[in-house]
Amino acid sequence: MDRPVRHIVIVGGGTAGWLTAGVLAAEHRADRPGGLRVSVVESPDVPIIGVGEGTWPTIRDTLHRIGVSEADFIRECDASFKQGSRFDGWVHGGDGERYFHPFSLPDGHGEVDLATAWRALAPQTPFAEWVCAQPHLCLHGRAPKQAATPEYAAVANYAYHLDAGKFAVFLRRHCVEKLGVQHVADHVLDVEMHEDGDIAALRLRVQGRLDADLFVDCSGFQSMLLGQRLGVPAVPLRDVLFNDRALALQVPYAHADAPIASQTISTAQRDGWIWDIGLPTRRGIGYVYSSAHVDDATAAEAFHAYIARTAPGVDTPQPRQLAFEPGWRERPWTRNCVAIGLSAGFIEPLEASAIALVELSAAMLADRLPATRADMDRLAPRFNAAFAHRWRRVIDFLKLHYVLSRRDGDYWRAHRDAASMPDRLAELLAIWKHHSPSRYDLDRVDEVFPSASWQYILYGMGFVPAPPAGPSRFADTERAAAFVDGTAQRTRRMLAALPMHRDLLDHIARHGLPRI
């Protein structure tokens, strides 16, 4: 008999488990009689990893979808606004060298060839700062909205920086109290299987047997269900993206009124890079590096040198060290198990793709929730194909940041080695010598990164496309200049009207935001 899907058990809490639970429960009315039953099994013995602090603008839709107040989220998760990323020292490693990957599209994107106009009219100005107002908001410490802007609405596109540990606790409370999710605080001792190879139940230390129709593996790097029990291997990525270690540290501000950066600052190092994230009460800083190119002690020295330079006189604890194996699983949905989050794969935190992939996974599972066990076999291949595409796009996009660098050192030279470049990326770079990245190159409606993002990295890293073969409307420099003039005018208006980042966060802490 074909079993209906009425109970989903999620193994593991944290950001992945509770975001997935929230999306499923909100969409399928877990709080109402007859609604989907959603349970989260969260072991009291397993701490939350709690390092990921960056998100994409998609998180606004996700939080709104599950009924979270933006003001409550900002207050309780020590959150701040994120308007993109700034990359320092990635091209040559010189002092003052920077470029931005903002969340807002360039003015005129898709209508004119901005790259050709930029090369002709302003090659000494960083591309993003010429075609978009948002880098200037970041440089001047502005917030992406006003105090009167309603929750989740934006003047400039934004995501958040957040305290991942507080975020998981906040989501858990919301899911249990508002959405009808069952929280099972217990430790998984074993996984019971059906004869046909499906997962039948979990055996818990205190509460005994817990069965379900569909299991979601959010158990983190151990991948308890998909990797360990079902034996789905990970595709290794060390030959493409080398980073496999991280040092992480929470650094207090020297003064309570210190400015808060509204972009992730990513600073290239000899054997990796350092993230620097500003929250209202502290900074989250980490060094991601390759153990094949540097030993832990030398990496720690470089990390502490950065802390000393950017936070002079501030006392800091010892950093936390993390090891990870970069890779992803080609079949995250296998039989009656779906892996979401670190259990499905992890590469490195560059461009903060981890939480975004959780959101995408949870949304697709909720939107295509199988009605029966047999329905899973029809939906799983589509889910797996979609995420294989997404993982490959993320890999290519992250690799793009490295292959165009002209920094010295074995680490950077290895990244430029053609043997470490995915064939897909090599083909795109060949196309982009003569054409700007466009929707024709990235041809899915649900692309992880829009073509504008690829342009920001390409031209930020100094990639210079060949001039067009002849005149065309798309390559009309005068039309492009008109868009850029509009950008300059809008930048001036936004700088005059938008509050400082910390001032807006302080206002939200005291007064909240207008509700839609």
Side-chain angles (χ1 to χ4, degrees), residues 291-313:
S291 64
H293 295 87
V294 65
D295 61 78
D296 293 339
T298 304
E301 289 177 9
F303 188 44
H304 286 297
Y306 178 89
I307 301 295
R309 179 170 58 83
T310 62

Side-chain angles (χ1 to χ4, degrees), residues 132-265:
C132 182
Q134 197 154 42
H136 301 280
L137 304 184
C138 294
L139 289 169
H140 288 83
R142 296 297 196 273
K145 62 193 295 178
Q146 298 170 311
T149 310
E151 290 198 330
Y152 299 117
V155 175
N157 196 20
Y158 68 86
Y160 309 102
H161 292 133
L162 52 86
D163 183 310
K166 292 180 179 179
F167 187 42
V169 173
F170 174 80
L171 288 172
R172 179 173 64 201
R173 184 170 63 251
H174 179 77
C175 288
V176 172
E177 294 179 359
K178 304 293 186 182
L179 299 177
V181 175
Q182 180 186 8
H183 180 212
V184 182
D186 210 337
H187 186 75
V188 179
L189 296 176
D190 198 7
V191 180
E192 297 181 12
M193 306 297 292
H194 286 296
E195 290 184 0
D196 63 4
D198 276 7
I199 297 173
L202 307 177
R203 187 158 59 84
L204 306 179
R205 180 167 56 200
V206 175
Q207 301 186 41
R209 192 176 190 273
L210 178 63
D211 62 7
D213 306 303
L214 178 64
F215 293 83
V216 181
D217 187 347
C218 295
S219 63
F221 287 129
Q222 65 176 313
S223 193
M224 180 189 301
L225 303 184
L226 188 76
Q228 293 184 17
R229 199 65 181 86
L230 294 178
V232 176
V235 179
L237 281 173
R238 276 209 206 202
D239 59 339
V240 177
L241 291 160
F242 314 137
N243 293 335
D244 61 350
R245 296 286 187 275
L247 295 166
L249 189 62
Q250 297 179 1
V251 178
Y253 291 109
H255 306 286
D257 59 351
I260 302 171
S262 62
Q263 75 279 348
T264 298
I265 301 171

Side-chain angles (χ1 to χ4, degrees), residues 331-466:
R331 291 184 292 117
W333 190 335
T334 297
R335 303 199 68 84
N336 66 334
C337 174
V338 184
I340 294 179
L342 300 178
S343 57
F346 181 74
I347 306 173
E348 61 168 272
L350 186 67
E351 295 286 5
S353 60
I355 293 177
L357 286 170
V358 169
E359 294 179 73
L360 292 167
S361 300
M364 187 169 182
L365 180 59
D367 293 345
R368 282 293 180 267
L369 187 72
T372 66
R373 173 61 187 87
D375 203 23
M376 293 183 203
D377 293 333
R378 292 182 283 269
L379 295 173
R382 290 165 171 76
F383 185 96
N384 292 341
F387 282 91
H389 176 84
R390 285 167 171 161
W391 277 108
R392 291 182 179 116
R393 282 286 197 237
V394 169
I395 293 162
D396 290 346
F397 189 68
L398 300 193
K399 186 67 173 179
L400 181 67
H401 296 64
Y402 295 99
V403 299
L404 299 177
S405 177
R406 294 184 286 281
R407 290 181 63 104
D408 292 330
D410 292 343
Y411 174 85
W412 296 94
R413 282 193 291 270
H415 266 301
R416 291 193 292 269
D417 189 334
S420 75
M421 189 187 303
D423 292 340
R424 300 174 304 274
L425 179 58
E427 182 178 3
L428 287 172
L429 286 172
I431 291 171
W432 292 337
K433 288 181 179 179
H434 301 282
H435 309 275
S436 295
S438 78
R439 65 183 187 275
Y440 300 111
D441 309 317
L442 312 163
D443 52 5
R444 291 181 65 124
V445 296
D446 56 351
E447 285 290 343
V448 177
F449 296 97
S451 57
S453 291
W454 297 81
Q455 289 192 20
Y456 284 135
I457 306 305
L458 274 177
Y459 306 135
M461 291 295 297
F463 183 91
V464 179

Side-chain angles (χ1 to χ4, degrees), residues 61-72:
D61 290 335
T62 299
L63 294 178
H64 189 255
R65 180 177 186 175
I66 66 176
V68 165
S69 158
E70 184 177 35
D72 288 346

